[in-house]
Amino acid sequence: MERRTIGIIVNGVTGRMGYRQHLVRSLLAIREQGGLPLKDGRRLWPEPILVGRSETKLREIAARHGLTQWSTDLSATLARPDVEIYFDAQLTSQREKSVRMAIEAGKHIYTEKPTAEDLAGAVDLARLASSAGIKNGVVQDKLFLPGLLKLERLIRGGFFGRILSVRGEFGYWVFEGDWQPAQRPSWNYRSQDGGGIVVDMFPHWHYVLEQLFGQVQAVTAHVTTHIPQRWDEEDAAYPATADDAAYGIFELAGGIVAQINSSWAVRVYRDELVEFQVDGTEGSAVAGLRNCRIQHRAATPKPVWNPDLPPTEDFRSQWQAVPDNEEFDNGFKAQWELFLRHVVEDAPFRWDLWAGARGVQLAELGLKSASEGRRVEIPALAE
Ligand SMILES: NC(=O)c1ccc[n+]([C@@H]2O[C@H](COP(=O)([O-])OP(=O)(O)OC[C@H]3O[C@@H](n4cnc5c(N)ncnc54)[C@H](O)[C@@H]3O)[C@@H](O)[C@H]2O)c1
């Protein structure tokens, strides 16, 4: 079968996201399935060009996966005519200048979130990309999780009636790094390096809320650093300057109230690392990464408050699992396939740098709400 090869710079490929989710689980997985079938009968064949700072690490990753192209020189690689897409999974603080270079080189852009460290930078990238006329997209992987796809199916099917509220609980204990190594890179806990849970997670909450429930109109957040000292990759103690927990209230169009706790200083007593409970007039659901459970109005028990008695009902058992009814692919890969079709076949793709900028805006205004101790309204971005 005829192949159409597409050169893709993967910058930040030595990192957690760049390597595992984007290179191995997405681009190489597409190659393993024989490429992406195109409408014209050809197969789209991603050709990753690994870019980073360490020649040794790039060479090692390339060899491990039978890849031949890697470089420590981004400018030179951007100048290659066979490179069509620039993808960025570097740590957040490095993103804006590299994406800007890639837009100037006329490449299509696909990038991890947050798209920039502040709103001005994120809007600037969106404007530059729009006026350059290049295709652009931002990773919004949570939308492609099985649990959230099932939740979306319930919403589109009218299961909830009028949606009243959303309660999100995200987080887990990230070890401080002294007696057990931390399971996340230390830059996440230093604000001077682009860290912080608000900057990391509010962009996710923005696209989840906007796409499933409605426009986010106001935010009230309380943000804190529960663990003030951590130990880095070299076992050296450092002050945690970035927030590690955020308690946010988001007011959505139509009067829906979303309240989401995000924390790296919480122990999990939940079924999944993130869960959203949605309550509506006709029914409720609890969706996690993979699973989704529902309780319909007609099957809702009538508990009576009486602290003198032990619980009389097993509340968890009163919920019903939503069936898969389809096969769910890796969310990162599913979104890569849509982006590749957008570039090659001009298929629609809504998750662009403007959507990314709205996520950065929510993070910025969430931090403003916390520092000023007040509710902050979210103005529409002038595209
Ligand atoms: N979509 C998601 O669910 C998700 C999850 C985690 C992280 N992310 C995003 O992905 C990006 C990468 O996060 P990660 O957890 O993979 O980080 P990581 O620390 O594991 O990887 C960072 C990458 O950036 C590179 N890099 C470039 N310049 C650097 C510099 N000056 N200092 C240090 N590293 C530098 C590193 O070599 C590495 O390849 C972040 O922007 C983060 O917000 C997204």
Side-chain angles (χ1 to χ4, degrees):
M1 195 168 293
E2 201 192 331
R3 269 185 194 173
R4 150 86 158 88
T5 300
I6 185 161
I8 304 171
I9 291 179
V10 185
N11 194 6
V13 72
T14 60
R16 289 188 319 151
M17 301 310 293
Y19 178 70
R20 184 85 208 129
Q21 295 302 338
H22 294 287
L23 181 69
V24 177
R25 302 276 281 137
S26 298
L27 297 174
L28 296 182
I30 291 172
R31 285 160 62 119
E32 270 158 34
Q33 73 187 23
L36 184 66
L38 294 174
K39 280 191 197 144
D40 63 9
R42 292 182 300 168
R43 292 252 168 183
L44 187 66
W45 188 255
E47 190 59 60
I49 298 122
L50 314 183
V51 170
R53 296 167 303 160
S54 159
E55 200 176 311
T56 320
K57 287 185 190 165
L58 294 173
R59 193 198 299 275
E60 198 271 318
I61 292 177
R64 194 185 312 153
H65 296 287
L67 298 170
T68 51
Q69 307 196 52
W70 48 268
S71 172
T72 55
D73 186 342
L74 177 60
S75 305
T77 315
L78 283 171
R80 285 173 47 167
D82 60 330
V83 168
E84 293 179 58
I85 295 174
Y86 171 78
F87 171 68
D88 193 300
Q90 297 182 96
L91 81 178
T92 307
S93 59
Q94 304 299 308
R95 179 155 304 128
E96 190 182 328
K97 66 172 190 289
S98 305
V99 170
R100 195 182 295 271
M101 278 169 71
I103 296 173
E104 280 161 10
K107 306 302 177 190
H108 302 300
I109 305 292
Y110 190 48
T111 176
E112 262 294 352
K113 47 49 68 182
T115 55
E117 282 186 286
D118 60 21
L119 177 60
V123 166
D124 204 36
L125 290 183
R127 286 216 175 99
L128 283 174
S130 302
S131 54
I134 50 133
K135 303 263 173 54
N136 57 95
V138 179
V139 175
Q140 303 203 337
D141 52 290
K142 307 291 176 270
L143 293 172
F144 299 87
L145 289 166
L148 290 200
L149 288 170
K150 286 183 239 180
L151 180 59
E152 186 181 24
R153 193 199 290 156
L154 293 172
I155 295 169
R156 305 282 168 249
F159 169 77
F160 292 102
R162 184 165 62 84
I163 294 178
L164 311 172
S165 62
V166 182
R167 243 159 267 257
E169 197 62 60
F170 162 82
Y172 48 93
W173 192 266
V174 176
F175 281 91
E176 297 88 330
D178 49 353
W179 67 290
Q180 294 192 53
Q183 69 271 42
R184 291 176 58 84
S186 61
W187 64 264
N188 283 281
Y189 303 92
R190 291 188 295 265
S191 53
Q192 63 274 29
D193 291 336
I197 202 162
V198 170
V199 171
D200 192 40
M201 296 314 297
F202 277 29
H204 287 298
W205 305 151
H206 184 270
Y207 66 72
V208 168
L209 294 173
E210 180 183 70
Q211 303 238 354
L212 295 184
F213 304 104
Q215 194 197 356
V216 186
Q217 297 177 329
V219 56
T220 309
H222 179 82
V223 169
T224 191
T225 306
H226 287 304
I227 308 290
Q229 187 182 41
R230 290 179 176 270
W231 281 258
D232 67 14
E233 290 75 6
E234 272 71 52
D235 293 330
Y238 65 95
T241 48
D243 44 286
D244 59 13
Y247 306 86
I249 301 172
F250 308 93
E251 294 168 48
L252 312 184
I256 300 173
V257 181
Q259 194 253 307
I260 305 180
N261 294 327
S262 317
S263 178
W264 289 317
V266 65
R267 296 186 176 87
V268 180
Y269 187 71
R270 264 175 265 135
D271 294 329
E272 305 200 53
L273 295 192
V274 64
E275 283 182 348
F276 296 96
Q277 172 163 343
V278 181
D279 288 293
T281 50
E282 297 297 310
S284 297
V286 177
L289 302 171
R290 301 205 69 83
N291 298 317
C292 184
R293 290 184 182 75
I294 49 174
Q295 185 169 95
H296 189 257
R297 181 173 189 250
T300 303
K302 191 191 274 186
V304 177
W305 175 256
N306 186 349
D308 296 329
L309 292 177
T312 50
E313 307 196 50
D314 178 6
F315 292 109
R316 282 182 189 270
S317 70
Q318 295 163 344
W319 293 68
Q320 188 185 356
V322 176
D324 286 357
N325 289 357
E326 60 187 292
E327 277 200 23
F328 298 105
D329 208 347
N330 173 287
F332 291 89
K333 173 168 173 269
Q335 202 187 354
W336 260 109
E337 293 185 347
L338 293 172
F339 184 70
L340 291 172
R341 287 191 192 288
H342 178 51
V343 169
V344 176
E345 296 181 329
D346 211 20
F349 189 89
R350 58 201 292 204
W351 310 282
D352 62 2
L353 283 166
W354 283 110
R358 291 196 293 280
V360 174
Q361 180 189 36
L362 185 64
E364 194 163 296
L365 295 182
L367 288 171
K368 183 181 167 88
S369 160
S371 71
E372 296 179 5
R374 67 182 181 90
R375 169 183 179 275
V376 174
E377 290 191 1
I378 299 171
L381 291 182
E383 294 190 14

